[in-house]
Amino acid sequence: MTDATYEIESIASENPHAGWIKLTMGLGGVVFLLMMIFGLIMRAGQGGIIDLDPVIFYQLLTAHGAGMVGSAALSGAAILWYFVARHVTLSIKIYIIFLGLFLAGVVFILGSIFIGGYGGAWTFLFPLPAISGGAWEAGAAVAFCVGYLLIGVGFLLYYLEMAYNISKSFGGLFGGLGWKFIVNGDSKTAPPPTIIAASSVIVFNSIGIVFGAIVLGASIINLLIPSFAVNALLAKNAIYFFGHVFINATIYMAVTAVYELIPEYTGKPWKTTRLFAIAWAAVVVFVQIVYFHHLLQDVNMPAWALATGQIISYASGVPLIAVTVFSTALYIKGSGMKWDLATKLLVLGVGGWGIGVIPAMIDGMVSVNKLMHNTQWVPGHFHTYLLLGEVAMAFGFAAWLGRDKSSQDQSGLDRFAFQAYLAGGFGFVLMFFWSGASSIPRRWAVHYDEWQLQSQIATVFAAVVILATTLFVLRYVEIHFDERNTPMVHLETDEIVGIEVLSSGEKQLFIILGEALLQEERPVVFISDEPELSLHVSWQAALFEHIRSLNGSCQIISATHSPDIVGSFQDRVIKIEQCIRDVH
Amino acid sequence: MQTTILIVSLILMAVVGVAYARAVYATDGPPAGPGANKARSALLWGMIVFGVILSVGTLREGVYDVAGPAPMVVNVSGGQWWWEVDTYEIPLGQEVEFRVTTEDVSHGMGIYTPGMTLVAQVQAMPGYTNKLVHTFDAPGTYQILCMEFCGIAHHDMVNEFNVLEAAE
């Protein structure tokens, strides 16, 4: 008995919300995979490998865009919630409502596309949803917008709960943002990196979602009452403000996994420095004014807006490359960090993000944008910082969630999956850059013959990425869902074994104490017959004390042949022999 | 131009990627020395200074194409899923001001050379006329492709015009 300590590694052990987070990451992983398959089908269609009806292509395009942004947001939100819950108390009920609204939104969106035929792209650029050229009815577009609104409402609730609790613990949102710390420089007031990231995302993404909700509301009214017209340029500004902020928020949420998990491997905390807080403050500002770079070909925009779009596109890359990427490299170099699937993917995520922003900065220049806007250069850069950035971080976090059970078999399969993801991912995005430089427009269902080679090679790389992702997802599902809630035993030798190897006495103890723990201090009566069977003498004497220490409100009634079992409670023993004698 | 953009981008991506990979792979090597913070500051300030020079240099002359005193005006209108151009013959070397409108949703007018290289583009937005100024420096048949997703026949929204050498 002495060589084992028990830990019920149920969903409740590490983090109070771990169960819901694990479920979310599982859903996110499966949707990522499905959307990648949609992407592969589109690239194969563009490459002329398969014959794809353009109507289906544009539906897949819409689903792929909304689905990828959605699963990036969902996985980012799960990661952020998980780690913020390490620092402040959050209500799991709010998270469940968020998840419910999210899934309801997904149902509306999928229904609008695959039942209603909506194929107006995830950006729902006004007035396309209302003028489909006969491809879909207004109702389908309304369903799509309602789906977005449900997800937006869920996110606002999520951020409200987080903002309230961060404010309470860190002296208001300015405290959480680290702005107070920037001003006074007192390291005692420095919030943890995760709290700074969370506060920043809360601020800019809430504003982004509100603008998104306004333009969605206007679009819905326009769909129902076509005479209600919206200014197209104003609508485009609102849509791209929302879209830009929302997709960026997914990465800014996911990066908290790097701040929280890498230190578990290196033993060095990820410290909040003034530079770190200032970099995040810059992000809060930049991410909201950079969206003008989406409108560089709208020459009716004021000149200052277009110039701002170019300047801030460049400026946004500065804190990312000079602070986030550089500091991550500095932190890991010589740290002795152990490489496993989780650390590899998390470190890749930061690198992919930093590399992907470079072609985006270049595309943000007015003169370059004239030649690259809406070519495949654009999916080139956003696939780099999403596929090799956010998604890598999300699968890294997921791999970490399953770390214990896999640590003994840091398998060749993990290594293979990572290498395939890396090689497939880089090859895949390179084809987009080549395509962009070849002037191939994005979002075209049919590619001319001279454009097809890039798409064909991209299809092969996409298949490699899908293979790797399938391995990530299968590994995750196997760990978390096949053996759901299987208790594991941590031995003092650091070995982790299944409960089936325990002796009968150990199993008995596990069941009795586990039951006492799960009663959660409720006033219950615990009745047992000969609970001492198979137990070591020392455990017999300590058993009732331990039950009482796990649940002080319980009453224990036992029939036993071993008076030792009651330990210090000798005065509570009723001897049946004596009772029978008294009756006679 | 596109090739230059591609090469510059790939070089910068490779530099950042290799520097990052070298540092993170060296987990078992010596940790970053005291010079690392200085290097970070140098990178930070270097990027800021370069950004200022780049911004001033590229934005100094404004963000719009402005036509000279005598441009040839070409009106282009778009709709699901067609382009209409009021002049199909444009003289070589003549400055052209395209005035682009749409009858329904947003489109994007992309001008492609005979070799299918994109040379200029502008959005077409309901309620607005967007101007695009361009001077063609090679003769041939140019294509207009739609650059903004506009529905199920987006990829069929194509037209063409000719750039002609001036008759001697």
Side-chain angles (χ1 to χ4, degrees):
Chain A
M1 267 332 287
T2 50
D3 65 343
T5 52
Y6 290 89
E7 178 184 326
I8 299 177
E9 195 184 281
S10 76
I11 49 180
S13 62
E14 204 266 347
N15 184 301
H17 305 156
W20 288 98
I21 300 302
K22 284 177 181 176
L23 174 69
T24 311
M25 293 308 290
L27 285 171
V30 171
V31 180
F32 272 136
L33 186 58
L34 183 66
M35 294 302 133
M36 284 178 184
I37 293 168
F38 287 2
L40 174 106
I41 294 170
M42 287 191 285
R43 287 309 257 151
Q46 290 175 330
I49 298 170
I50 56 168
D51 188 19
L52 185 61
D53 181 352
V55 173
I56 306 291
F57 177 92
Y58 291 122
Q59 288 177 5
L60 290 177
L61 177 88
T62 304
H64 178 84
M68 281 299 190
V69 172
S71 18
L74 185 64
S75 57
I79 291 170
L80 185 68
W81 188 275
Y82 185 89
F83 291 122
V84 169
R86 281 183 171 181
H87 303 280
V88 300
T89 308
L90 296 172
S91 160
I92 192 65
K93 281 190 192 127
I94 300 289
Y95 187 83
I96 296 167
I97 294 170
F98 156 75
L99 190 60
L101 283 167
F102 193 98
L103 296 176
V106 169
V107 169
F108 271 83
I109 291 168
L110 289 178
S112 80
I113 298 170
F114 294 113
I115 300 171
Y118 175 75
W122 83 273
T123 40
F124 61 99
L125 188 58
F126 178 85
L128 181 59
I131 305 176
S132 71
W136 61 86
E137 300 296 323
V142 170
F144 188 81
C145 295
V146 169
Y148 268 25
L149 278 174
L150 289 171
I151 292 173
V153 170
F155 260 104
L156 287 179
L157 286 172
Y158 169 109
Y159 288 134
L160 207 61
E161 166 71 5
M162 226 176 237
Y164 175 71
N165 290 295
I166 288 177
S167 297
K168 232 171 38 180
S169 304
F170 291 92
L173 212 50
F174 286 115
L177 285 162
W179 292 7
K180 287 185 176 171
F181 165 60
I182 294 174
V183 175
N184 64 26
D186 176 6
S187 60
K188 284 199 284 295
T189 63
T194 294
I195 295 299
I196 292 184
S199 307
S200 304
V201 172
I202 288 166
V203 170
F204 64 71
N205 212 17
S206 300
I207 298 171
I209 290 169
V210 168
F211 273 87
I214 291 169
V215 70
L216 283 163
S219 295
I220 291 173
I221 298 171
N222 170 260
L223 284 159
L224 300 175
I225 311 164
S227 61
F228 174 87
V230 181
N231 179 297
L233 189 58
L234 192 65
K236 188 170 180 180
N237 271 271
I239 287 170
Y240 279 99
F241 175 74
F242 153 73
H244 183 92
V245 163
F246 192 76
I247 189 62
N248 273 265
T250 66
I251 314 177
Y252 290 118
M253 293 192 284
V255 75
T256 55
V258 175
Y259 299 156
E260 295 274 344
L261 297 183
I262 300 287
E264 294 192 3
Y265 289 79
T266 62
K268 279 194 294 184
W270 198 291
K271 281 200 200 112
T272 297
T273 60
R274 234 168 165 178
L275 179 66
F276 178 90
I278 291 169
W280 271 98
V283 165
V284 171
V285 178
F286 291 167
V287 77
Q288 296 188 74
I289 53 177
V290 74
Y291 82 93
F292 294 122
H293 66 200
H294 295 278
L295 290 101
L296 295 180
Q297 301 316 315
D298 285 284
V299 290
N300 285 298
M301 287 292 287
W304 63 262
L306 303 188
T308 302
Q310 170 171 329
I311 295 167
I312 303 303
S313 292
Y314 180 90
S316 301
V318 176
L320 173 59
I321 292 172
V323 181
T324 307
V325 173
F326 196 94
S327 301
T328 304
L330 212 63
Y331 176 89
I332 292 171
K333 185 171 156 44
S335 65
M337 184 178 80
K338 180 175 151 279
W339 289 103
D340 62 10
L341 186 58
T343 48
K344 281 178 186 171
L345 284 166
L346 290 169
V347 171
L348 168 66
V350 175
W353 184 18
I355 294 168
V357 83
I358 292 168
M361 291 161 84
I362 291 172
D363 189 23
M365 293 174 66
V366 174
S367 55
V368 171
N369 195 261
K370 183 125 271 169
L371 303 176
M372 291 302 192
H373 183 67
N374 279 351
T375 67
Q376 290 201 328
W377 189 264
V378 184
H381 54 73
F382 70 68
H383 276 85
T384 309
Y385 51 71
L386 292 173
L387 179 62
L388 298 170
E390 200 283 339
V391 182
M393 291 181 203
F395 279 114
F397 172 69
W400 174 83
L401 283 174
R403 71 210 173 282
D404 275 354
K405 293 165 201 173
S406 65
S407 55
Q408 307 101 310
D409 53 310
Q410 232 307 290
S411 66
L413 201 61
D414 277 356
R415 261 192 289 276
F416 169 77
F418 177 78
Q419 281 160 4
Y421 191 82
L422 186 70
F426 271 108
F428 181 73
V429 297
L430 276 176
M431 288 308 108
F432 273 136
F433 291 123
W434 179 20
S435 300
S438 310
S439 298
I440 302 173
R442 68 185 288 207
R443 293 179 165 173
W444 270 45
V446 180
H447 276 192
Y448 300 143
D449 289 348
E450 66 261 39
W451 293 345
Q452 289 188 344
L453 179 62
Q454 289 93 325
S455 311
Q456 289 163 358
I457 301 173
T459 307
V460 176
F461 283 123
V464 175
V465 173
I466 287 170
L467 172 69
T469 307
T470 307
L471 292 173
F472 295 158
V473 172
L474 285 179
R475 176 186 183 278
Y476 184 85
V477 169
E478 182 199 20
I479 288 170
H480 293 292
F481 297 95
D482 275 10
E483 313 167 45
R484 187 164 38 185
N485 293 343
T486 305
M488 302 301 290
V489 183
H490 294 236
L491 303 182
E492 275 180 357
T493 56
D494 271 348
E495 221 181 316
I496 300 164
V497 295
I499 195 165
E500 65 281 355
V501 305
L502 299 183
S503 71
S504 56
E506 287 168 334
K507 282 179 185 155
Q508 174 115 331
L509 258 184
F510 183 84
I511 291 164
I512 293 172
L513 296 180
E515 175 60 30
L517 182 70
L518 293 174
Q519 287 160 356
E520 293 175 334
E521 301 276 328
R522 283 191 300 270
V524 295
V525 182
F526 192 96
I527 302 173
S528 55
D529 183 31
E530 301 188 69
E532 73 278 11
L533 288 181
S534 330
L535 290 188
H536 188 274
V537 183
S538 65
W539 262 101
Q540 289 186 10
L543 182 65
F544 286 177
E545 233 172 281
H546 279 94
I547 294 173
R548 293 278 299 179
S549 74
L550 288 169
N551 182 2
S553 316
C554 75
Q555 185 180 15
I556 305 168
I557 300 172
S558 269
T560 177
H561 298 292
S562 165
D564 286 342
I565 196 166
V566 294
S568 57
F569 304 106
Q570 293 295 343
D571 55 327
R572 309 288 177 84
V573 174
I574 299 167
K575 293 188 173 158
I576 301 297
E577 195 184 5
Q578 188 67 46
C579 293
I580 295 168
R581 202 173 298 143
D582 288 351
V583 170
H584 291 287
Chain B
M1 183 64 181
Q2 275 94 337
T3 310
T4 312
I5 296 168
L6 178 67
I7 291 170
V8 170
S9 300
L10 292 182
I11 289 174
L12 290 173
M13 290 164 79
V15 167
V16 173
V18 168
Y20 178 72
R22 275 172 58 102
V24 298
Y25 274 122
T27 45
D28 295 329
N37 281 330
K38 264 193 187 157
R40 176 166 46 197
S41 297
L43 177 64
L44 189 60
W45 288 107
M47 284 187 80
I48 291 171
V49 169
F50 179 74
V52 171
I53 296 168
L54 185 75
S55 303
V56 171
T58 54
L59 296 171
R60 191 167 29 107
E61 287 172 10
V63 293
Y64 306 124
D65 304 322
V66 182
M72 174 184 180
V73 173
V74 175
N75 293 299
V76 180
S77 66
Q80 285 169 329
W81 289 277
W82 46 265
W83 289 110
E84 199 179 282
V85 187
D86 68 354
T87 311
Y88 286 96
E89 294 184 348
I90 293 172
L92 185 69
Q94 166 71 51
E95 187 175 58
V96 182
E97 182 180 279
F98 292 96
R99 294 184 182 169
V100 185
T101 57
T102 167
E103 295 202 344
D104 40 50
V105 300
S106 281
H107 301 281
M109 185 189 71
I111 299 176
Y112 280 70
T113 65
M116 290 307 279
T117 299
L118 179 62
V119 287
Q121 65 173 306
V122 74
Q123 286 276 305
M125 178 175 272
Y128 291 88
T129 301
N130 288 348
K131 290 179 186 168
L132 172 66
V133 178
H134 190 74
T135 305
F136 294 92
D137 56 10
T141 302
Y142 284 69
Q143 307 268 333
I144 298 175
L145 268 57
C146 187
M147 303 300 291
E148 186 63 60
F149 175 59
C150 58
I152 49 171
H154 169 52
H155 56 280
D156 279 334
M157 194 170 154
V158 178
N159 204 336
E160 58 185 42
F161 59 85
N162 291 308
V163 172
L164 304 174
E165 289 188 78
E168 291 298 321

